[in-house]
Amino acid sequence: MSDLIKSVLKCDEKIDLRQFISELRGSDQRYFLRNDIVRAFADYCSQHEKAGYFYKSSYLGKLIDYTQEIILEDESICAIVRSKIASQQVFRIWDDLTVEPMSIQDLLDVRDRIVNRYRPTEGDVLELDFAPFYDYSPTIRDPKNIGKGVQFLNRYLSSKLFQDGRKWLELLYEFLNLHQYNGQQLLINHRIKNRRELSDKIKDAIAFVGDLPEDKPYVDFRFQLQDLGFEPGWGNTAGRVGETLEILDELIDSPDDAVLESFVSRIPMIFRVVLVSVHGWFGQEGVLGRPDTGGQVVYVLDQARSLEKQLEEEFKLAGLDVLGVYPKTIVLSRLIPNAEGTRCNQRLEKIRGTENGWILRIPFREFNPNMTQNWISRFEIWPYLETYALDAEKELLAEFEGKPDLVVGNYSDGNLVAFLLARRLKVTQCNIAHALEKSKYLFSNLYWQDLENQYHFSLQFTADLIAMNAANFVISSTYQEIVGTPDSVGQYESYDCFTMPDLYHVVKGIELFSPKFNVVPPGVNEAVYFPYTRTDDRILSDRERLEELLFTLEDPTQVFGKLEDPSKRPIFSMARLDRIKNLTGLAECFGQSEALQEHCNLILVAGKLRAEESTDSEELSEMQKLYNIIEHYDLYGKIRWLGVRLPKSDSGEIYRVIADRHGVFVQPALFEAFGLTILEAMISGLPTFATQFGGPLEIIQDKKNGFYINPTNVEETAEKILDFVSKCDQSPHYWEEISQRAIERVYSTYTWKIHTSRLLSLSKIYGFWNYTSKENREDLLRYLEALFYLIFKPRAQALLDAHWQR
Ligand code: UDP
Ligand code: LCN
């Protein structure tokens, strides 16, 4: 039993515990989540006039603070206590305060009971348990190291090299032998016959290049090195070749993690990369703001560009560029025949700013053309993915003239396709979630049957389980995406154990302590988004046009609202009109604060203005809500609402125009997985106020280079902005200070260069690990295939049957 519960039961606080439970029973609710629990306890403390310390610092206060869920049963309660990140314990507390630990199985039964789906007399429900498959791999111990998988793995692999040198050297030798580019052998050739020879030949080669001038180009001594058994890939000059060989020599003699990392990151293993992003409108213009298309498209395109650049640099340093070795990156997306004026019906489109980066669009097979000729929501896409992966495989092989070396999935659908492709092609699979829907929708698993017609979560969550377990490695944008914060469960963590009543129980859905998890945040396109002070790089005519659009242009087709005083400090936000983005919450906050209205104008870029422009019910209701707020608080003259979808280049300049006027950026989302607009605003030099729910909590350091807001507390949010604005009015340097620190924060931590060099070194080390542990993974992959064919596929077929009727 937890020490905390023991402490509560040993003192008078047990009376409060009993009383608190009894008061919970007084409400109609039976299932309490953390927010409800904390609120109920606050009420309890105030009603019972508890001393100030009791709420947070008493044993019971602490216990309540750690409690994520309470489920009331007839004579007992079930409490989920998460006293540490990524680890929870479940207890049953009987009404007489007897406490017993509960198994995960019992917990899942309780959850089923609450929705009247517990039917033991009809037999057990399928139990999914991935724990045994992780027995083969090492696990991280300390939760603070979760997400630093590669460091851990380097240590693990180098210790293997140290302990079992012979076996691991053999594997390393075989691995080095594998590398080829278009039939050209790389790294070592048949002249080095075994691991023992490898060690000797390295020393010979080091001596040979040591006698050459450091800057002697590789091509000038290529054939002598080949005679010694070494092929291209070691370096572009004698100096660099010598250095790389020295690192390998050191790795063989005295392996350690730093040496392993620096060696593996130098060897050219990745030439062709496919980034899978299936749903939505994937394109370079005119797509942002369309359904299902948002930051993911921006992310993937920027990543593709940056990957190419990084690979080119690597190839150059490895001496491969002169041999005609060049990278190729393909973004694999869906071809949408009725493309509504976008390029989404074009099979191949070059990615701007790349030499050899492409968007390859492959259509879904036809089935019912009413569906497959058109855009299909990400919630409905599942029946088409298996055949899509088969078709994509053929086309990728043709486009690459060979296999890709790395498949990166994006979002649940892209990750499933990445799994299918990687499995067939036997290549390294990386997963990127962007946002996992499971935690976005409250109780989405418990009530999946009620939500199934609209969301098809049974398919999505099964696909997620398959893809995240299959992936060789997972990239997350933040730590909390994996395991949350002390108060809230992480997105991946929510897959650890859950019930899908009547379908399955997941008793261990993912190993959060696995080294497969790596936090690698995205960057921002520095050619588009840069500090407002870089005036030489700004185009004056764009700046003037956008100033007019933002503050004065009178064009009811694009803009709602005329400012009484356009010179007031602008509070700016830009997002789609999704409920979760909560632009209406920001308008409400502005509306409620007359002081804020006195000092500032509110400028919103929100894609659309009029109901006839949308068919999406959520968007329509947000639009209506925004009009109502403007009316209710009489915000005419104080707000501008731009119903435009800005092209990329304009979206960069727009932040800078706001910064010219010493404005601020506010990101008021109810939850934001990461939030690219925050990086964009900050790098432009805008002091940024962003939601404390989700990724922004890691991007911003509160009060240092930006500010956290709780968007559900509009009063407090208004006060925070007002406080900042007042400070700036008193001391104009304050704005510049925060602005400068925001810029520095992005350049130091969130660049695509940092991201892709990390991604490539991860791909290599996990590629090596994948190679050395392939037998161990096979049973896991077989289990995942069984899930795919026995659970996912029949359900996808049923959805396809429904699609035939549309
Ligand atoms: N965006 C844009 N034009 C618009 C609205 C948004 O270019 O009119 C871009 C914005 O600059 C950002 C992306 O869309 O790059 C939104 O990404 P974010 O991660 O903030 O949110 P998501 O839409 O993915 O939830
Ligand atoms: C999806 C989201 O919801 C955003 O928070 C992210 O910034 C975006 O994807 C890119 O990863």
Side-chain angles (χ1 to χ4, degrees):
M1 196 201 309
S2 100
D3 290 344
L4 211 46
I5 299 191
K6 273 190 203 151
S7 306
V8 172
L9 296 182
K10 271 198 212 137
C11 67
D12 285 351
E13 292 178 22
K14 65 173 179 277
I15 300 164
D16 290 292
L17 174 61
R18 185 180 283 150
Q19 182 68 23
F20 178 58
I21 295 172
S22 132
E23 289 185 17
L24 285 182
R25 287 200 185 280
S27 83
D28 323 328
Q29 229 173 309
R30 290 173 64 208
Y31 205 137
F32 296 82
L33 293 179
R34 187 170 182 278
N35 267 349
D36 310 317
I37 300 167
V38 169
R39 204 174 311 125
F41 189 61
D43 291 348
Y44 176 87
C45 292
S46 88
Q47 269 163 29
H48 294 265
E49 295 175 0
K50 293 286 172 192
Y53 87 96
F54 193 81
Y55 175 61
K56 273 266 174 210
S57 313
S58 63
Y59 292 127
L60 182 58
K62 283 191 197 136
L63 178 65
I64 294 290
D65 196 40
Y66 291 144
T67 304
Q68 284 293 330
E69 289 179 28
I70 291 180
I71 304 171
L72 302 184
E73 295 228 278
D74 284 347
E75 286 163 28
S76 66
I77 69 161
C78 161
I80 301 180
V81 181
R82 183 176 176 268
S83 53
K84 270 201 300 223
I85 279 190
S87 77
Q88 59 177 35
Q89 291 167 294
V90 195
F91 300 100
R92 182 180 292 287
I93 307 178
W94 295 93
D95 287 350
D96 65 0
L97 294 190
T98 321
V99 179
E100 55 198 39
M102 273 175 78
S103 68
I104 294 298
Q105 280 83 350
D106 287 344
L107 168 69
L108 299 181
D109 286 345
V110 169
R111 285 180 174 155
D112 282 359
R113 263 203 294 277
I114 210 114
V115 288
N116 299 322
R117 305 277 182 188
Y118 179 62
R119 299 185 249 273
T121 52
E122 291 166 30
D124 280 339
V125 69
L126 169 66
E127 225 169 56
L128 303 183
D129 184 358
F130 291 92
F133 300 112
Y134 286 93
D135 287 350
Y136 298 117
S137 54
T139 43
I140 290 171
R141 284 225 197 104
D142 189 338
K144 75 171 181 299
N145 291 328
I146 290 176
K148 296 180 189 162
V150 78
Q151 277 111 303
F152 179 84
L153 192 58
N154 277 326
R155 274 203 301 278
Y156 172 79
L157 291 175
S158 56
S159 76
K160 289 274 176 199
L161 271 167
F162 191 75
Q163 287 159 11
D164 196 355
R166 198 186 291 177
K167 179 182 152 211
W168 279 80
L169 261 184
E170 191 68 46
L171 284 167
L172 184 63
Y173 165 76
E174 282 168 21
F175 187 66
L176 290 177
N177 244 317
L178 285 180
H179 297 289
Q180 288 200 345
Y181 177 81
N182 283 353
Q184 153 84 59
Q185 182 66 27
L186 300 174
L187 298 173
I188 57 174
N189 62 34
H190 63 276
R191 289 191 177 87
I192 303 178
K193 294 194 188 59
N194 53 45
R195 111 189 107 75
R196 277 185 308 278
E197 281 196 18
L198 177 65
S199 190
D200 294 343
K201 295 275 183 160
I202 290 169
K203 294 199 193 301
D204 294 347
I206 291 173
F208 165 69
V209 290
D211 288 340
L212 302 175
E214 280 218 346
D215 56 355
K216 195 173 179 63
Y218 167 69
V219 278
D220 293 354
F221 58 91
R222 173 180 174 190
F223 295 111
Q224 283 118 302
L225 209 57
Q226 191 171 45
D227 283 344
L228 289 172
F230 294 90
E231 294 292 334
W234 297 93
N236 55 345
T237 58
R240 178 91 185 170
V241 171
E243 233 176 63
T244 314
L245 288 167
E246 295 268 9
I247 297 174
L248 178 56
D249 192 39
E250 200 184 335
L251 182 65
I252 293 172
D253 275 353
S254 47
D256 78 32
D257 52 333
V259 182
L260 180 66
E261 176 163 12
S262 80
F263 177 67
V264 174
S265 57
R266 273 179 183 229
I267 51 177
M269 288 191 218
I270 311 286
F271 306 94
R272 307 176 183 98
V273 183
V274 51
L275 310 175
V276 190
S277 182
V278 186
H279 72 253
W281 301 83
F282 198 102
Q284 301 186 75
E285 68 240 352
V287 295
L288 284 172
R290 281 179 179 267
D292 291 352
T293 301
Q296 183 178 323
V297 171
V298 175
Y299 180 118
V300 174
L301 283 172
D302 285 346
Q303 188 187 47
R305 287 189 194 100
S306 173
L307 262 174
E308 179 181 275
K309 219 177 274 152
Q310 193 67 28
L311 284 168
E312 275 169 358
E313 266 173 39
E314 274 194 8
F315 292 176
K316 198 162 172 212
L317 278 176
L320 295 178
D321 56 335
V322 286
L323 305 175
V325 176
Y326 52 85
K328 182 162 184 161
T329 315
I330 291 182
V331 174
L332 178 69
S333 191
R334 182 192 161 208
L335 186 146
I336 306 176
N338 290 338
E340 298 182 12
T342 69
R343 296 224 182 126
C344 295
N345 56 359
Q346 239 182 49
R347 179 178 175 277
L348 207 55
E349 185 184 339
K350 182 95 176 272
I351 299 176
R352 276 197 302 272
T354 66
E355 291 293 321
N356 203 15
W358 303 88
I359 301 171
L360 173 66
R361 299 191 187 90
I362 307 210
F364 287 162
R365 289 196 192 162
E366 184 160 274
F367 301 101
N368 176 359
N370 292 338
M371 292 295 299
T372 47
Q373 289 292 102
N374 299 310
W375 163 78
I376 300 175
S377 147
R378 68 189 192 283
F379 296 119
E380 301 264 346
I381 209 166
W382 309 106
Y384 308 101
L385 296 181
E386 188 186 10
T387 46
Y388 176 82
L390 293 172
D391 297 344
E393 181 189 352
K394 275 198 223 103
E395 303 223 21
L396 286 170
L397 290 173
E399 285 296 327
F400 281 129
E401 297 177 51
K403 287 200 306 187
D405 307 296
L406 171 68
V407 183
V408 183
N410 291 276
Y411 191 70
S412 308
D413 54 352
N415 286 326
L416 187 72
V417 171
F419 156 70
L420 294 169
L421 283 171
R423 179 77 175 132
R424 291 176 65 88
L425 295 168
K426 300 197 168 33
V427 295
T428 308
Q429 179 200 343
C430 163
N431 264 35
I432 304 179
H434 295 282
L436 288 163
E437 302 292 342
K438 187 164 174 294
S439 32
K440 267 204 210 164
Y441 295 80
L442 216 53
F443 295 125
S444 51
N445 59 298
L446 198 59
Y447 292 104
W448 71 272
Q449 282 144 307
D450 304 331
L451 300 167
E452 192 67 354
N453 271 343
Q454 196 179 350
Y455 292 112
H456 309 286
F457 285 142
S458 69
L459 284 151
Q460 183 148 5
F461 300 165
T462 308
D464 286 336
L465 281 174
I466 293 172
M468 68 177 73
N469 281 292
N472 295 102
F473 67 104
V474 173
I475 282 188
S476 74
S477 295
T478 60
Y479 174 81
Q480 61 179 285
E481 181 177 333
I482 313 170
V483 280
T485 65
D487 303 339
S488 61
V489 171
Q491 294 185 61
Y492 280 98
E493 191 181 0
S494 75
Y495 286 76
D496 185 41
C497 80
F498 64 99
T499 169
M500 294 287 280
D502 293 332
L503 184 61
Y504 53 66
H505 277 179
V506 178
V507 293
K508 183 74 187 168
I510 184 74
E511 177 51 81
L512 299 165
F513 289 81
S514 157
K516 68 161 59 179
F517 285 107
N518 288 277
V519 180
V520 185
V524 59
N525 186 335
E526 292 164 44
V528 177
Y529 304 100
F530 51 83
Y532 75 107
T533 42
R534 264 173 44 194
T535 34
D536 289 352
D537 298 317
R538 296 175 62 182
I539 299 168
L540 189 62
S541 57
D542 282 354
R543 178 177 169 174
E544 289 169 354
R545 177 175 51 82
L546 290 169
E547 273 193 339
E548 193 192 357
L549 175 69
L550 281 170
F551 302 111
T552 49
L553 180 78
E554 290 186 35
D555 173 2
T557 62
Q558 295 192 66
V559 191
F560 175 92
K562 182 169 184 236
L563 298 178
E564 277 158 15
D565 178 2
S567 70
K568 278 188 194 167
R569 196 188 290 275
I571 297 174
F572 175 59
S573 194
M574 175 167 78
R576 284 168 288 130
L577 274 170
D578 284 0
R579 192 191 65 83
I580 203 116
K581 292 287 183 192
N582 192 34
L583 286 184
T584 48
L586 175 59
E588 177 80 33
C589 157
F590 184 68
Q592 282 191 18
S593 169
E594 284 181 13
L596 211 49
Q597 295 164 33
E598 238 165 66
H599 287 83
C600 306
N601 289 316
L602 179 63
I603 316 278
L604 301 176
V605 172
K608 290 175 188 160
L609 267 186
R610 275 178 305 277
E612 57 273 22
E613 292 171 87
S614 176
T615 48
D616 184 289
S617 59
E618 202 174 285
E619 199 170 50
L620 286 167
S621 107
E622 285 298 289
M623 250 184 231
Q624 193 48 53
K625 212 162 142 195
L626 194 48
Y627 282 119
N628 294 347
I629 291 168
I630 295 171
E631 173 72 32
H632 180 77
Y633 293 104
D634 189 16
L635 294 179
Y636 304 100
K638 296 167 185 165
I639 188 172
R640 297 258 293 170
W641 166 4
L642 279 65
V644 291
R645 207 182 290 139
L646 292 172
K648 206 74 270 175
S649 55
D650 281 355
S651 86
E653 185 58 22
I654 213 132
Y655 292 107
R656 293 189 286 271
V657 170
I658 300 285
D660 289 335
R661 298 186 176 214
H662 283 199
V664 299
F665 182 75
V666 185
Q667 213 284 15
L670 298 173
F671 176 78
E672 186 62 61
F674 183 74
L676 291 173
T677 53
I678 293 158
L679 293 188
E680 296 165 357
M682 286 173 75
I683 200 173
S684 309
L686 277 174
T688 298
F689 293 76
T691 179
Q692 67 187 38
F693 302 122
L697 206 56
E698 280 172 50
I699 305 176
I700 289 176
Q701 294 160 303
D702 195 27
K703 302 192 184 95
K704 183 172 169 199
N705 41 37
F707 303 89
Y708 301 147
I709 52 168
N710 174 352
T712 59
N713 188 341
V714 288
E715 219 171 288
E716 184 193 89
T717 300
E719 260 164 41
K720 282 191 179 172
I721 303 174
L722 193 62
D723 183 48
F724 174 77
V725 168
S726 315
K727 275 196 188 139
C728 293
D729 287 345
Q730 282 155 20
S731 138
H733 291 308
Y734 187 52
W735 186 94
E736 266 144 30
E737 236 173 73
I738 300 287
S739 161
Q740 193 49 42
R741 287 202 223 120
I743 296 170
E744 279 159 17
R745 174 73 175 159
V746 181
Y747 280 125
S748 66
T749 319
Y750 297 99
T751 70
W752 280 113
K753 187 159 174 56
I754 303 176
H755 175 101
T756 40
S757 61
R758 203 85 198 119
L759 171 61
L760 287 176
S761 77
L762 293 174
S763 311
K764 292 172 185 178
I765 196 82
Y766 286 92
F768 175 52
W769 192 31
N770 191 18
Y771 178 76
T772 57
S773 60
K774 52 186 181 298
E775 288 91 23
N776 291 348
R777 273 173 55 82
E778 191 53 28
D779 42 7
L780 164 67
L781 293 168
R782 286 289 183 201
Y783 186 72
L784 294 172
E785 275 176 352
L787 286 188
F788 179 79
Y789 289 107
L790 300 177
I791 298 180
F792 180 89
K793 206 168 162 174
R795 305 193 72 82
Q797 183 59 45
L799 180 56
L800 185 64
D801 294 343
H803 284 185
W804 276 109
Q805 312 307 317
R806 299 210 185 155

